[in-house]
Amino acid sequence: MKKFTRGFGYAFKGLWYAAKTQLNFRVHLICTIIALVLGYILDISVTEWLWIFICIGLVLLTELLNTALELLCDVISPEYNEKIGHVKDISAGAVLVTAITSLVIGAVIFLPKLLLLIHHAA
């Protein structure tokens, strides 16, 4: 059991490291808070909440994996290496694809509700 709980400590240590050192991870955390607050204010459905949580999880996951891969690449090849550069670029591209997909899903969920809210306020 001690080994199991120690694993959580390592996981939280990794999350803290990413939040402390990675600007993009912090940006994604801010977007997470915005999405959660908007979801609460706009009273989104259970299904919409599931989509939001899936998007949040996937974006944070890909950002964490990107960070880990970049660190590993820096250890393997501290000097410039063209192939390592490609690995880092592809990893960053995975984050971008996930973030754009999540942005589109968020727009599909939130925009109609926000437009309706604006229309009723006018």
Side-chain angles (χ1 to χ4, degrees):
M1 187 65 165
K2 195 175 196 179
K3 199 174 191 180
F4 177 75
T5 55
R6 200 174 325 137
F8 280 102
Y10 296 139
F12 284 114
K13 187 176 173 183
L15 289 170
W16 177 249
Y17 175 84
K20 189 171 61 170
T21 64
Q22 303 300 308
L23 173 62
N24 288 343
F25 191 75
R26 290 191 301 271
V27 168
H28 293 309
L29 289 175
I30 290 167
C31 291
T32 293
I33 292 167
I34 292 168
L36 295 175
V37 169
L38 265 177
Y40 177 77
I41 290 171
L42 297 174
D43 195 30
I44 63 176
S45 72
V46 171
T47 303
E48 291 167 329
W49 274 117
L50 290 174
W51 279 105
I52 294 299
F53 280 115
I54 288 168
C55 288
I56 289 169
L58 288 174
V59 169
L60 294 178
L61 169 70
T62 53
E63 187 62 53
L64 288 166
L65 290 174
N66 179 55
T67 298
L69 190 57
E70 285 186 355
L71 286 171
L72 182 59
C73 286
D74 290 344
V75 169
I76 292 170
S77 181
E79 69 287 339
Y80 176 77
N81 179 305
E82 187 176 353
K83 288 187 179 184
I84 291 288
H86 293 317
V87 169
K88 288 181 171 186
D89 292 345
I90 292 166
S91 182
V95 177
L96 182 63
V97 167
T98 308
I100 289 172
T101 301
S102 296
L103 183 65
V104 169
I105 290 170
V108 168
I109 291 171
F110 292 128
L111 274 181
K113 292 171 178 28
L114 286 171
L115 292 173
L116 191 63
L117 197 64
I118 292 168
H119 182 265
H120 279 99

